[in-house]
Structures are given as structure tokens and as C-alpha cells.
Amino acid sequence: LTKIDLVNYYQLAEKRILPHLANRPVSLLRAPSGIEGQLFFQKHADTLHIPGLKELDPAFDPGHPALIGIDTLEALLGAAQMNVIEFHTWNATTKNIEKPDRMVFDLDPGEGLAWSMMLEAANLARTLLEEIGLQCFLKTSGGKGLHVIVPLKPRDDWETVKDFSKAISQHLAAVLPSLFVALSGPRNRVGKVFVDYIRNSRGATTAAAYSVRARPGLGVSVPCSWQELSTLTGGAQWAIANVQNRLKSTDDPWTDYAKTKQTLKPSMRKILMH
Ligand code: ATP
Ligand code: MN
């Protein structure tokens, strides 16, 4: 697969990916000499010469050059032309940078974990979130695992949202210690699912929905419906070689995402053990 395949993919996926990039800081993973070569994770616009790339308010990242904005097809394809493979985004929009508009749970399989347990873990995470009154959305990571996204009205600050996500992760590990672990580090994770909540920090990023991944096979992070969960075969089930059909024939499974208006409530927090 070549750069032409990458550019063609982003051209095809334009309408799907741009809403997930627009109006929020974006970090780019570039692979100028291919995915086997050195990879560059770039948060700042200063050294990049990509047509259409937006420089965001420097106050978002004090003491650093401007953060990157990608709002147009020109910038998206310009980035792909410059060997950008992955697009990662903040959990807040530029309109309201101190108030996250989502909470992200990154479900990572520990060594030796059967994929069926990953599906079980995602289903249980969803059950807990719905139990406390939060709707959530599923996507493959395009790599090894799954991401569960909870859209939020931008009301609480970074600290509050991160604390809440930590309580969710720790609750899962406390209630089901044989399946979940809340501690990072590969030794703690063997045969278990690590529910990473650290991406809910200010300035942290997660691979955007419909981003390609700079891994062998060029997996794609693909939004799924919860009905599809049991049919998923891996985090890289879809890649740029086989995702085209899905993009052309299947409606976006996250149509309810933008309609989901919800906030964290103290009553939800009381249900959690931590
Ligand atoms: P998998 O399913 O394989 O775990 P993933 O997308 O969940 O895939 P990684 O690819 O390991 O996990 O993602 C690493 C995280 O760290 C991403 O959220 C990314 O935005 C962030 N990241 C990656 N490289 C850097 C970097 N150099 N500096 C800061 N953050 C980074
Ligand atoms: Mn992960």
C-alpha cells in the first residue's frame, strides 16, 4: 500500500472523518519514510507546511507554538500528502477548550487475553455507563483494542471529567478483578483488559474516528453500533484495504452521537465504588 492508497482513503472518508477533526486541536502522526521508518507525533503547526492547516489560538498551549486545526478537505488531503497517517484529537472543542465535550475509555487487551473477553469487557463497560445514565459509543481502535466514547455537554472542567472517568475504570476493576485492571504496566495486565482513562487529561489525544493507523496492514478506527459488538473480530478488523465497502454501503452507526446531550451528575458518581 502506498501514499496514493492513503490519500484515496481520506478522500473517500472525508465526509465521515472531518466532523471528528473540525473545531478541536488535532495531533498528527507522520511517517515520512513509511510505517517501518521513524514516526513523528506532532502537536504544533510551526514546522508543518500543509496547505489549509489552521493555527489555533496559542493560548491553548501556553509557551508552545500554535496547536493544529484541520477543518477542510484541503488540509486533510494536504496532510495525507505530507505522509500524515494518523489524526488524533483532544476531548474538547476550540469554542470551549477548558470544558471537555466527551470522555474516552481506551480498552487495551493485556497479553494473552482472548478477543471474546475484550467483547465482554466492552459490553460490561457499556452496561455500567448506561446503568448510571450515560449513553456511549463504540469504535475499533484500528490497532489492538476498542474505544468507548461518552459524549458530554461541555460543562465540567478537565479535572472533574478525568476524576469521573477514573472512578469508572476503578469501579470496573473492583467489581470484576478477573477481567479488568485499572493499573497500567504490562505485568498488571496479563490476561485482562486495561481501561485507560488517562486520555481524559487536558491536552491528551486519542486516534479520531476514521483515522488510519500507522501499523502493519494500515488499520482504520471505525465507529460501530453496539448491535455489531458481538460480530467484531479485532481492533484492526477494518483497514484501508477493506473498509471502502462499509463506507459506501453502511450509514454512519453514530448518527445519534451529535444528538446525545448529557452531563455528569453527582447522583451518578454515588453509584460508583470509588
Ligand atoms: P490500541 O488499540 O492498539 O491500543 P490505541 O489507539 O488505543 O491503539 P496507541 O496507538 O498506543 O493506542 O495510542 C497512544 C495514545 O497516546 C494515543 O491516544 C495518542 O494520541 C497518544 N500519543 C501517541 N504518541 C504520542 C506522543 N508522542 N506524545 C503524546 N501522545 C502520544
Ligand atoms: Mn488502546
Side-chain angles (χ1 to χ4, degrees):
L1 292 158
T2 63
K3 186 149 89 185
I4 295 166
D5 299 305
L6 186 72
V7 173
N8 284 344
Y9 165 78
Y10 279 121
Q11 196 139 31
L12 180 69
E14 171 214 357
K15 294 244 161 11
R16 300 283 184 110
I17 189 172
L18 275 179
H20 295 286
L21 303 181
N23 306 311
R24 55 182 85 235
V26 180
S27 298
L28 310 175
L29 187 73
R30 290 177 61 224
S33 41
I35 60 167
E36 316 274 88
Q38 202 178 346
L39 304 177
F40 300 88
F41 193 80
Q42 299 195 239
K43 298 177 178 181
H44 303 109
D46 57 329
T47 57
L48 296 166
H49 303 284
I50 294 171
L53 196 87
K54 228 163 87 178
E55 298 200 3
L56 303 181
D57 183 348
F60 293 166
D61 195 10
H64 294 273
L67 296 171
I68 299 164
I70 298 213
D71 292 358
T72 60
L73 179 63
E74 182 192 24
L76 176 69
L77 297 187
Q81 288 288 357
M82 295 292 286
N83 306 298
V84 171
I85 297 187
E86 303 191 358
F87 295 86
H88 294 243
T89 51
W90 281 39
N91 290 341
T93 67
T94 52
K95 253 196 229 153
N96 220 338
I97 203 78
E98 300 307 335
K99 304 286 167 74
D101 70 340
R102 69 184 181 212
M103 190 163 61
V104 173
F105 295 97
D106 166 30
L107 276 56
D108 280 336
E111 210 185 297
L113 183 91
W115 178 252
S116 59
M117 297 311 284
M118 190 67 181
L119 301 181
E120 187 67 26
N123 194 39
L124 287 163
R126 175 205 184 192
T127 303
L128 172 63
L129 288 165
E130 287 187 350
E131 190 68 32
I132 65 175
L134 292 170
Q135 260 187 275
C136 58
F137 294 82
L138 173 71
K139 67 183 181 78
T140 61
S141 74
K144 293 198 292 274
L146 299 170
H147 297 157
V148 174
I149 319 291
V150 181
L152 295 172
K153 282 199 274 187
R155 197 197 61 177
D156 291 310
D157 62 14
W158 288 101
E159 208 53 35
T160 305
V161 173
K162 186 180 172 183
D163 266 11
F164 195 98
S165 69
K166 181 178 181 181
I168 294 277
S169 174
Q170 291 185 338
H171 183 91
L172 287 167
V175 173
L176 286 159
S178 59
L179 180 59
F180 290 106
V181 55
L183 298 169
S184 64
R187 290 243 213 96
N188 295 315
R189 294 202 218 168
V190 175
K192 298 184 184 181
V193 177
F194 173 55
V195 182
D196 187 354
Y197 60 87
I198 302 292
R199 292 170 194 210
N200 297 304
S201 314
R202 189 186 189 282
T205 54
T206 301
Y210 297 106
S211 174
V212 177
R213 307 309 303 272
R215 319 259 179 104
L218 295 175
V220 176
S221 179
V222 176
C224 306
S225 69
W226 284 108
Q227 284 68 41
E228 286 178 296
L229 177 67
S230 63
T231 69
L232 298 181
T233 57
Q237 167 166 358
W238 288 286
I240 66 173
N242 69 353
V243 75
Q244 264 91 350
N245 261 348
R246 184 177 173 90
L247 294 183
K248 287 177 192 153
S249 64
T250 313
D251 287 339
D252 195 305
W254 282 11
T255 43
D256 286 345
Y257 187 104
K259 292 181 226 155
T260 307
K261 309 277 183 235
Q262 54 191 10
T263 54
L264 306 178
K265 299 199 176 76
S267 57
M268 297 174 172
R269 189 62 194 260
K270 280 191 197 122
I271 303 170
L272 303 173
M273 284 170 69
H274 285 84

